Amino acid sequence: MKKLALLALTGILFSCNSNGYKISGEIKGLADGTKVFLEKRDLITGITPVDTVKIENGKFIFEGETKEPAIHSIRFENVNGGFAIVVEN
């Protein structure tokens, strides 16, 4: 069931401006209050938490700033797997 939740991800929108980024998504199959993790990935430190939000009304939003493009990942609480994204201004 939890693997199916990732398949139910209906959309993630990325927007950016000179001050930062905004990542918003909508997901079906996970309860409100489920944590969503944004993590930075690199070869030296491995995985570093960047932000955590909770699903509300089937949606989640990350907002922040970054100085340069970086590979991040998004994963969901109690769900195996996730996916990689590139975060940039």
Coordinates of all heavy atoms in Angstrom, one line a residue:
M1 N 0.8 -1.2 0.0 CA 0.0 0.0 0.0 C 0.9 1.3 0.0 O 0.6 2.2 -0.7 CB -0.9 -0.1 1.2 CG -1.8 1.1 1.4 SD -2.9 1.2 0.0 CE -3.9 2.6 0.5
K2 N 1.9 1.2 0.8 CA 2.7 2.4 0.9 C 3.5 2.7 -0.4 O 3.8 3.8 -0.7 CB 3.6 2.3 2.1 CG 2.9 2.4 3.4 CD 3.7 2.3 4.6 CE 2.8 2.2 5.8 NZ 3.1 2.9 6.9
K3 N 3.9 1.6 -1.1 CA 4.5 1.8 -2.3 C 3.6 2.4 -3.4 O 4.0 3.2 -4.2 CB 5.1 0.5 -2.9 CG 6.2 -0.1 -2.1 CD 6.7 -1.4 -2.6 CE 7.8 -1.9 -1.7 NZ 8.3 -3.2 -2.2
L4 N 2.3 2.0 -3.2 CA 1.3 2.6 -4.1 C 1.1 4.1 -3.9 O 0.8 4.8 -4.8 CB 0.0 1.9 -4.0 CG 0.0 0.4 -4.5 CD1 -1.4 -0.2 -4.2 CD2 0.3 0.3 -5.9
A5 N 1.4 4.5 -2.7 CA 1.2 6.0 -2.4 C 2.2 6.8 -3.2 O 1.8 7.9 -3.7 CB 1.5 6.2 -0.9
L6 N 3.4 6.3 -3.4 CA 4.3 7.0 -4.2 C 3.9 7.1 -5.7 O 4.0 8.1 -6.4 CB 5.7 6.4 -4.2 CG 6.6 6.7 -3.0 CD1 7.9 6.0 -3.1 CD2 6.8 8.2 -2.8
L7 N 3.2 6.1 -6.1 CA 2.7 6.1 -7.5 C 1.5 7.0 -7.6 O 1.2 7.5 -8.7 CB 2.2 4.6 -7.9 CG 3.4 3.6 -7.9 CD1 2.8 2.3 -8.2 CD2 4.4 4.0 -9.0
A8 N 0.9 7.3 -6.5 CA -0.3 8.2 -6.5 C 0.1 9.7 -6.5 O -0.7 10.6 -6.5 CB -1.2 7.9 -5.3
L9 N 1.4 10.0 -6.5 CA 1.8 11.3 -6.5 C 1.4 12.0 -7.8 O 1.8 11.6 -8.9 CB 3.4 11.4 -6.4 CG 4.0 12.8 -6.2 CD1 3.6 13.4 -4.9 CD2 5.5 12.7 -6.3
T10 N 0.5 12.9 -7.7 CA -0.1 13.5 -8.9 C 0.6 14.7 -9.5 O 0.4 15.0 -10.7 CB -1.6 13.8 -8.7 OG1 -1.6 14.8 -7.6 CG2 -2.4 12.6 -8.3
G11 N 1.4 15.3 -8.8 CA 2.1 16.4 -9.4 C 3.0 17.1 -8.4 O 2.7 17.3 -7.2
I12 N 4.1 17.5 -8.9 CA 5.1 18.4 -8.1 C 5.4 19.6 -9.0 O 5.8 19.4 -10.2 CB 6.3 17.6 -7.7 CG1 6.0 16.6 -6.7 CG2 7.4 18.6 -7.2 CD1 7.1 16.0 -6.0
L13 N 5.3 20.7 -8.5 CA 5.6 21.9 -9.2 C 6.8 22.6 -8.6 O 6.9 22.7 -7.4 CB 4.4 22.9 -9.2 CG 3.1 22.4 -9.7 CD1 2.0 23.4 -9.4 CD2 3.2 22.1 -11.2
F14 N 7.7 23.0 -9.5 CA 8.9 23.7 -9.1 C 8.8 25.1 -9.6 O 8.5 25.3 -10.7 CB 10.1 23.0 -9.6 CG 10.3 21.6 -9.3 CD1 9.8 20.6 -10.2 CD2 10.8 21.2 -8.1 CE1 9.9 19.3 -9.8 CE2 11.0 19.9 -7.8 CZ 10.5 18.9 -8.7
S15 N 9.0 26.1 -8.7 CA 9.1 27.4 -9.2 C 10.3 28.1 -8.5 O 10.7 27.7 -7.4 CB 7.8 28.2 -8.8 OG 7.6 28.3 -7.5
C16 N 10.9 29.1 -9.1 CA 12.0 29.7 -8.6 C 12.0 31.2 -8.9 O 11.4 31.6 -9.9 CB 13.3 29.0 -9.0 SG 13.5 29.0 -10.8
N17 N 12.8 31.9 -8.2 CA 13.0 33.3 -8.5 C 14.4 33.7 -7.9 O 15.1 32.8 -7.5 CB 11.9 34.2 -7.8 CG 11.8 34.0 -6.3 OD1 12.8 33.9 -5.6 ND2 10.6 34.0 -5.8
S18 N 14.8 34.9 -8.0 CA 16.2 35.2 -7.6 C 16.4 35.0 -6.1 O 17.5 35.0 -5.7 CB 16.5 36.7 -8.0 OG 15.6 37.6 -7.3
N19 N 15.3 34.9 -5.3 CA 15.5 34.8 -3.9 C 15.4 33.4 -3.4 O 15.8 33.1 -2.2 CB 14.4 35.6 -3.1 CG 14.6 37.1 -3.4 OD1 15.7 37.6 -3.5 ND2 13.5 37.8 -3.6
G20 N 14.9 32.4 -4.1 CA 14.8 31.1 -3.6 C 14.0 30.2 -4.5 O 13.7 30.5 -5.6
Y21 N 13.6 29.1 -3.9 CA 12.8 28.1 -4.6 C 11.5 27.7 -3.8 O 11.4 28.0 -2.6 CB 13.6 26.8 -4.8 CG 14.0 26.1 -3.5 CD1 13.2 25.2 -2.8 CD2 15.2 26.4 -2.8 CE1 13.5 24.6 -1.6 CE2 15.6 25.8 -1.6 CZ 14.7 24.9 -1.0 OH 15.0 24.4 0.2
K22 N 10.6 27.2 -4.5 CA 9.3 26.7 -3.9 C 9.0 25.3 -4.6 O 9.0 25.3 -5.8 CB 8.2 27.7 -4.2 CG 6.9 27.2 -3.6 CD 5.8 28.3 -3.8 CE 4.5 27.9 -3.1 NZ 3.5 29.0 -3.3
I23 N 8.9 24.3 -3.8 CA 8.5 23.0 -4.3 C 7.2 22.6 -3.7 O 7.1 22.5 -2.5 CB 9.6 21.9 -3.9 CG1 10.9 22.3 -4.4 CG2 9.2 20.5 -4.4 CD1 12.1 21.5 -3.8
S24 N 6.2 22.5 -4.5 CA 4.9 22.1 -4.0 C 4.4 20.8 -4.7 O 4.7 20.6 -5.8 CB 3.8 23.2 -4.2 OG 3.7 23.5 -5.6
G25 N 3.7 20.0 -3.9 CA 3.2 18.7 -4.5 C 1.9 18.3 -3.9 O 1.4 18.8 -2.9
E26 N 1.2 17.5 -4.6 CA -0.1 16.9 -4.2 C 0.0 15.4 -4.3 O 0.6 14.9 -5.3 CB -1.1 17.4 -5.2 CG -2.5 17.0 -4.8 CD -3.6 17.7 -5.7 OE1 -3.4 18.8 -6.1 OE2 -4.6 17.0 -5.9
I27 N -0.4 14.8 -3.3 CA -0.3 13.3 -3.2 C -1.6 12.7 -2.7 O -2.3 13.3 -1.8 CB 0.9 12.9 -2.4 CG1 1.1 11.4 -2.5 CG2 0.8 13.3 -0.9 CD1 2.5 10.9 -2.0
K28 N -2.0 11.6 -3.2 CA -3.1 10.8 -2.7 C -2.6 9.5 -2.1 O -1.7 9.0 -2.5 CB -4.1 10.5 -3.9 CG -4.7 11.8 -4.5 CD -5.6 11.5 -5.7 CE -6.1 12.8 -6.3 NZ -6.9 12.5 -7.4
G29 N -3.3 9.1 -1.1 CA -3.0 7.8 -0.5 C -2.2 7.9 0.8 O -1.9 6.9 1.4
L30 N -1.8 9.1 1.2 CA -1.1 9.3 2.5 C -2.0 10.2 3.3 O -2.5 11.2 2.8 CB 0.3 9.9 2.3 CG 1.3 9.0 1.6 CD1 2.6 9.7 1.5 CD2 1.5 7.7 2.4
A31 N -2.0 10.0 4.6 CA -2.9 10.7 5.5 C -2.3 12.1 5.8 O -1.1 12.3 5.8 CB -3.0 10.0 6.8
D32 N -3.2 13.0 6.1 CA -2.8 14.3 6.5 C -1.9 14.2 7.8 O -2.2 13.3 8.6 CB -4.0 15.2 6.9 CG -4.6 15.8 5.6 OD1 -4.1 15.6 4.5 OD2 -5.7 16.4 5.7
G33 N -0.9 14.9 8.0 CA 0.0 14.8 9.1 C 1.2 14.0 8.8 O 2.2 14.0 9.6
T34 N 1.2 13.3 7.7 CA 2.4 12.5 7.3 C 3.5 13.4 7.0 O 3.4 14.4 6.3 CB 2.1 11.6 6.1 OG1 1.0 10.7 6.4 CG2 3.3 10.8 5.6
K35 N 4.7 13.1 7.5 CA 5.9 14.0 7.3 C 6.5 13.7 5.9 O 6.5 12.6 5.4 CB 7.0 13.7 8.3 CG 6.6 14.2 9.7 CD 7.7 13.9 10.7 CE 7.2 14.2 12.1 NZ 8.2 13.9 13.1
V36 N 6.9 14.8 5.3 CA 7.6 14.8 4.0 C 9.0 15.4 4.2 O 9.1 16.5 4.8 CB 6.9 15.6 2.9 CG1 7.6 15.5 1.6 CG2 5.4 15.1 2.8
F37 N 10.0 14.7 3.8 CA 11.4 15.2 4.1 C 12.1 15.6 2.8 O 12.0 15.0 1.8 CB 12.2 14.0 4.7 CG 11.6 13.4 5.9 CD1 10.9 12.3 5.8 CD2 11.8 14.0 7.1 CE1 10.3 11.7 6.9 CE2 11.2 13.4 8.3 CZ 10.5 12.3 8.1
L38 N 12.7 16.8 2.8 CA 13.6 17.3 1.8 C 15.0 17.1 2.3 O 15.4 17.6 3.4 CB 13.3 18.8 1.5 CG 14.2 19.4 0.4 CD1 13.9 18.7 -1.0 CD2 13.9 20.9 0.3
E39 N 15.8 16.4 1.6 CA 17.2 16.0 2.0 C 18.2 16.4 0.9 O 17.9 16.2 -0.3 CB 17.3 14.6 2.4 CG 16.3 14.2 3.4 CD 16.2 12.7 3.6 OE1 16.3 11.9 2.6 OE2 16.0 12.3 4.8
K40 N 19.3 16.9 1.3 CA 20.4 17.2 0.4 C 21.3 16.0 0.3 O 21.6 15.4 1.3 CB 21.2 18.4 0.9 CG 22.3 18.9 0.0 CD 22.9 20.2 0.5 CE 24.0 20.6 -0.5 NZ 24.6 21.9 0.0
R41 N 21.8 15.7 -0.9 CA 22.6 14.6 -1.1 C 24.0 15.1 -1.7 O 24.0 15.8 -2.6 CB 22.0 13.6 -2.1 CG 20.6 13.2 -1.6 CD 20.0 12.3 -2.5 NE 20.7 11.1 -2.5 CZ 20.3 9.9 -2.8 NH1 19.1 9.8 -3.3 NH2 21.1 8.8 -2.8
D42 N 25.1 14.6 -1.1 CA 26.4 14.9 -1.8 C 27.3 13.7 -1.4 O 27.1 12.9 -0.6 CB 26.9 16.2 -1.4 CG 27.2 16.4 0.1 OD1 27.9 15.5 0.7 OD2 26.8 17.3 0.7
L43 N 28.4 13.7 -2.1 CA 29.4 12.6 -2.0 C 30.2 12.6 -0.7 O 30.6 11.6 -0.2 CB 30.3 12.6 -3.2 CG 29.7 12.4 -4.5 CD1 30.7 12.5 -5.6 CD2 29.0 11.0 -4.6
I44 N 30.3 13.8 -0.1 CA 31.1 13.9 1.1 C 30.4 13.6 2.4 O 30.8 12.8 3.2 CB 31.8 15.4 1.2 CG1 32.7 15.6 0.0 CG2 32.5 15.6 2.5 CD1 33.2 17.0 -0.2
T45 N 29.2 14.3 2.6 CA 28.5 14.1 3.8 C 27.3 13.1 3.7 O 26.7 12.8 4.7 CB 27.9 15.5 4.3 OG1 27.0 16.0 3.3 CG2 29.0 16.5 4.6
G46 N 27.0 12.7 2.5 CA 25.9 11.7 2.4 C 24.6 12.5 2.3 O 24.5 13.4 1.6
I47 N 23.7 12.1 3.1 CA 22.3 12.7 3.2 C 22.2 13.6 4.4 O 22.5 13.2 5.5 CB 21.2 11.6 3.2 CG1 21.3 10.8 1.9 CG2 19.9 12.3 3.3 CD1 20.4 9.6 1.9
T48 N 21.8 14.9 4.1 CA 21.7 15.8 5.2 C 20.2 16.4 5.1 O 19.8 16.8 4.1 CB 22.6 17.0 5.0 OG1 24.0 16.5 4.9 CG2 22.5 18.0 6.1
P49 N 19.5 16.4 6.2 CA 18.1 16.9 6.2 C 18.2 18.4 6.0 O 19.0 19.2 6.5 CB 17.6 16.7 7.7 CG 18.6 15.7 8.2 CD 19.9 15.8 7.5
V50 N 17.3 18.9 5.1 CA 17.1 20.3 4.8 C 15.9 20.9 5.4 O 15.9 22.0 6.0 CB 17.2 20.5 3.3 CG1 16.9 22.0 2.9 CG2 18.5 20.1 2.6
D51 N 14.8 20.2 5.2 CA 13.5 20.7 5.7 C 12.5 19.5 5.9 O 12.7 18.5 5.2 CB 12.9 21.7 4.7 CG 11.8 22.6 5.3 OD1 11.5 22.4 6.5 OD2 11.3 23.4 4.6
T52 N 11.5 19.7 6.8 CA 10.5 18.7 7.0 C 9.2 19.4 7.0 O 9.1 20.4 7.7 CB 10.7 17.9 8.3 OG1 12.0 17.3 8.2 CG2 9.6 16.8 8.4
V53 N 8.2 19.0 6.3 CA 6.8 19.5 6.4 C 5.8 18.4 6.5 O 6.2 17.2 6.4 CB 6.5 20.4 5.1 CG1 7.4 21.5 5.0 CG2 6.5 19.5 3.8
K54 N 4.6 18.7 6.8 CA 3.5 17.7 6.9 C 2.5 17.9 5.8 O 2.3 19.0 5.4 CB 2.9 17.8 8.3 CG 3.7 17.4 9.4 CD 3.0 17.4 10.8 CE 3.9 17.0 11.9 NZ 3.2 17.0 13.2
I55 N 2.0 16.8 5.4 CA 0.9 16.8 4.4 C -0.3 17.4 5.0 O -0.8 17.0 6.1 CB 0.6 15.4 3.8 CG1 1.9 14.9 3.1 CG2 -0.6 15.4 2.9 CD1 1.7 13.4 2.6
E56 N -0.9 18.4 4.3 CA -2.2 19.0 4.7 C -3.1 19.0 3.5 O -2.8 19.6 2.5 CB -1.9 20.4 5.3 CG -1.1 20.5 6.5 CD -0.9 21.9 7.1 OE1 -1.6 22.8 6.6 OE2 0.0 22.1 7.9
N57 N -4.3 18.5 3.7 CA -5.3 18.4 2.6 C -4.7 17.8 1.3 O -4.9 18.2 0.2 CB -5.8 19.8 2.3 CG -6.6 20.4 3.5 OD1 -7.3 19.7 4.1 ND2 -6.4 21.6 3.8
G58 N -3.8 16.8 1.5 CA -3.2 16.1 0.4 C -2.1 16.9 -0.3 O -1.6 16.5 -1.4
K59 N -1.6 18.0 0.3 CA -0.6 18.8 -0.3 C 0.6 19.1 0.6 O 0.4 19.0 1.8 CB -1.2 20.1 -0.8 CG -2.3 19.9 -1.8 CD -2.9 21.3 -2.2 CE -4.1 21.0 -3.2 NZ -4.8 22.2 -3.5
F60 N 1.7 19.4 0.0 CA 2.9 19.9 0.8 C 3.6 20.9 0.0 O 3.6 21.0 -1.2 CB 3.8 18.7 1.2 CG 4.4 18.0 0.0 CD1 5.6 18.4 -0.5 CD2 3.7 16.9 -0.6 CE1 6.2 17.8 -1.6 CE2 4.3 16.3 -1.7 CZ 5.5 16.7 -2.2
I61 N 4.4 21.8 0.8 CA 5.2 22.9 0.1 C 6.5 23.0 0.9 O 6.5 23.1 2.1 CB 4.4 24.2 0.2 CG1 3.1 24.1 -0.6 CG2 5.3 25.3 -0.4 CD1 2.2 25.3 -0.5
F62 N 7.6 23.1 0.1 CA 8.9 23.4 0.7 C 9.3 24.8 0.1 O 9.1 25.0 -1.1 CB 10.0 22.4 0.2 CG 9.8 21.1 0.9 CD1 9.4 20.0 0.1 CD2 10.2 20.9 2.2 CE1 9.3 18.7 0.7 CE2 10.1 19.6 2.8 CZ 9.6 18.5 2.1
E63 N 9.8 25.7 0.9 CA 10.3 26.9 0.4 C 11.7 27.2 1.0 O 11.8 26.9 2.2 CB 9.4 28.1 0.7 CG 8.0 28.0 0.0 CD 7.1 29.1 0.3 OE1 7.2 30.1 -0.5 OE2 6.3 29.0 1.2
G64 N 12.6 27.7 0.3 CA 13.9 28.0 0.8 C 14.8 28.7 -0.1 O 14.4 29.2 -1.2
E65 N 16.0 28.9 0.3 CA 17.0 29.5 -0.6 C 18.2 28.6 -0.8 O 18.5 27.8 0.1 CB 17.5 30.8 0.1 CG 16.4 31.8 0.1 CD 16.9 33.2 0.7 OE1 18.1 33.4 0.8 OE2 16.0 34.0 1.0
T66 N 18.8 28.7 -1.9 CA 20.1 27.9 -2.2 C 21.0 28.8 -3.0 O 20.5 29.6 -3.9 CB 19.7 26.6 -2.9 OG1 20.9 25.9 -3.1 CG2 19.1 26.8 -4.3
K67 N 22.3 28.7 -2.8 CA 23.2 29.5 -3.5 C 23.6 28.9 -4.9 O 24.0 29.6 -5.8 CB 24.5 29.7 -2.7 CG 24.2 30.5 -1.4 CD 25.4 30.7 -0.6 CE 25.1 31.5 0.7 NZ 26.2 31.7 1.5
E68 N 23.5 27.6 -5.0 CA 23.9 26.9 -6.2 C 23.0 25.7 -6.4 O 22.5 25.2 -5.5 CB 25.3 26.5 -6.2 CG 25.7 25.6 -5.1 CD 27.2 25.4 -4.9 OE1 28.0 26.0 -5.7 OE2 27.6 24.7 -4.0
P69 N 22.9 25.2 -7.6 CA 22.1 24.0 -7.9 C 22.7 22.8 -7.1 O 23.9 22.7 -6.9 CB 22.3 23.7 -9.4 CG 22.6 25.0 -10.0 CD 23.4 25.7 -8.9
A70 N 21.8 22.0 -6.5 CA 22.2 20.8 -5.7 C 21.1 19.7 -5.9 O 20.0 20.0 -6.1 CB 22.3 21.2 -4.3
I71 N 21.6 18.5 -5.8 CA 20.7 17.4 -5.9 C 20.1 17.1 -4.5 O 20.9 17.1 -3.5 CB 21.5 16.1 -6.3 CG1 22.0 16.3 -7.8 CG2 20.6 14.9 -6.3 CD1 22.9 15.2 -8.3
H72 N 18.8 17.1 -4.4 CA 18.1 16.8 -3.2 C 17.2 15.6 -3.4 O 17.1 15.1 -4.6 CB 17.2 18.0 -2.8 CG 18.0 19.2 -2.3 ND1 19.0 19.8 -3.0 CD2 17.8 19.8 -1.1 CE1 19.4 20.8 -2.3 NE2 18.7 20.9 -1.1
S73 N 16.6 15.1 -2.4 CA 15.6 14.0 -2.5 C 14.4 14.4 -1.7 O 14.5 15.1 -0.7 CB 16.2 12.7 -2.2 OG 16.6 12.7 -0.8
I74 N 13.3 13.8 -2.1 CA 12.1 14.0 -1.3 C 11.6 12.5 -1.0 O 11.6 11.6 -1.8 CB 11.0 14.7 -2.1 CG1 11.4 16.1 -2.4 CG2 9.6 14.6 -1.4 CD1 10.4 16.9 -3.2
R75 N 11.3 12.4 0.3 CA 10.8 11.1 0.7 C 9.7 11.3 1.8 O 9.6 12.4 2.3 CB 11.9 10.2 1.3 CG 12.6 10.6 2.6 CD 13.6 9.6 3.1 NE 14.1 10.1 4.3 CZ 13.6 9.8 5.5 NH1 12.5 9.0 5.6 NH2 14.2 10.2 6.6
F76 N 8.9 10.2 1.9 CA 7.7 10.3 2.8 C 7.9 9.4 4.0 O 8.4 8.3 3.9 CB 6.5 9.9 2.0 CG 6.3 10.8 0.8 CD1 6.8 10.5 -0.4 CD2 5.5 12.0 0.9 CE1 6.6 11.3 -1.5 CE2 5.4 12.8 -0.2 CZ 5.9 12.5 -1.4
E77 N 7.4 9.8 5.1 CA 7.4 9.1 6.4 C 6.8 7.7 6.2 O 5.7 7.6 5.6 CB 6.7 9.9 7.4 CG 6.6 9.2 8.8 CD 5.9 10.1 9.8 OE1 4.9 10.7 9.5 OE2 6.4 10.1 11.0
N78 N 7.4 6.7 6.6 CA 6.9 5.3 6.6 C 6.7 4.7 5.2 O 5.9 3.8 5.0 CB 5.7 5.1 7.4 CG 5.9 5.5 8.9 OD1 6.9 5.1 9.5 ND2 4.9 6.1 9.5
V79 N 7.4 5.3 4.2 CA 7.3 4.8 2.8 C 8.7 4.5 2.3 O 9.6 5.4 2.5 CB 6.6 5.9 1.9 CG1 6.6 5.4 0.4 CG2 5.2 6.2 2.3
N80 N 8.9 3.3 1.8 CA 10.3 3.0 1.3 C 10.5 3.7 0.0 O 9.6 3.7 -0.9 CB 10.4 1.5 1.1 CG 10.4 0.8 2.4 OD1 10.9 1.3 3.4 ND2 9.9 -0.5 2.4
G81 N 11.6 4.3 -0.2 CA 12.0 5.0 -1.4 C 11.6 6.4 -1.4 O 11.2 7.0 -0.4
G82 N 11.9 7.1 -2.5 CA 11.6 8.5 -2.7 C 12.1 8.8 -4.1 O 12.2 7.9 -4.9
F83 N 12.4 10.1 -4.3 CA 12.9 10.5 -5.6 C 13.9 11.7 -5.5 O 13.8 12.4 -4.6 CB 11.8 10.7 -6.6 CG 10.8 11.7 -6.1 CD1 10.9 13.1 -6.4 CD2 9.7 11.3 -5.4 CE1 10.0 14.0 -6.0 CE2 8.8 12.2 -4.9 CZ 8.9 13.6 -5.2
A84 N 14.7 11.8 -6.5 CA 15.7 12.9 -6.5 C 15.2 14.0 -7.4 O 14.4 13.8 -8.3 CB 17.0 12.4 -7.1
I85 N 15.6 15.2 -7.0 CA 15.3 16.4 -7.7 C 16.5 17.3 -7.7 O 17.4 17.2 -6.8 CB 14.1 17.2 -7.1 CG1 14.3 17.6 -5.7 CG2 12.8 16.4 -7.2 CD1 13.3 18.6 -5.1
V86 N 16.5 18.3 -8.6 CA 17.6 19.3 -8.6 C 16.9 20.6 -8.1 O 15.9 21.1 -8.7 CB 18.2 19.5 -10.0 CG1 19.2 20.7 -9.9 CG2 18.9 18.2 -10.5
V87 N 17.5 21.2 -7.0 CA 17.0 22.4 -6.5 C 17.9 23.5 -6.9 O 19.1 23.4 -6.7 CB 16.9 22.3 -4.9 CG1 16.4 23.7 -4.3 CG2 15.9 21.2 -4.6
E88 N 17.4 24.6 -7.4 CA 18.2 25.8 -7.8 C 17.3 27.0 -7.8 O 16.1 26.9 -7.8 CB 18.8 25.5 -9.2 CG 17.7 25.4 -10.3 CD 18.4 25.1 -11.7 OE1 19.5 25.5 -11.9 OE2 17.7 24.5 -12.5
N89 N 18.0 28.1 -7.8 CA 17.3 29.4 -7.8 C 16.9 29.7 -9.3 O 17.5 29.3 -10.2 CB 18.1 30.6 -7.3 CG 18.2 30.6 -5.8 OD1 17.4 30.0 -5.2 ND2 19.2 31.2 -5.3

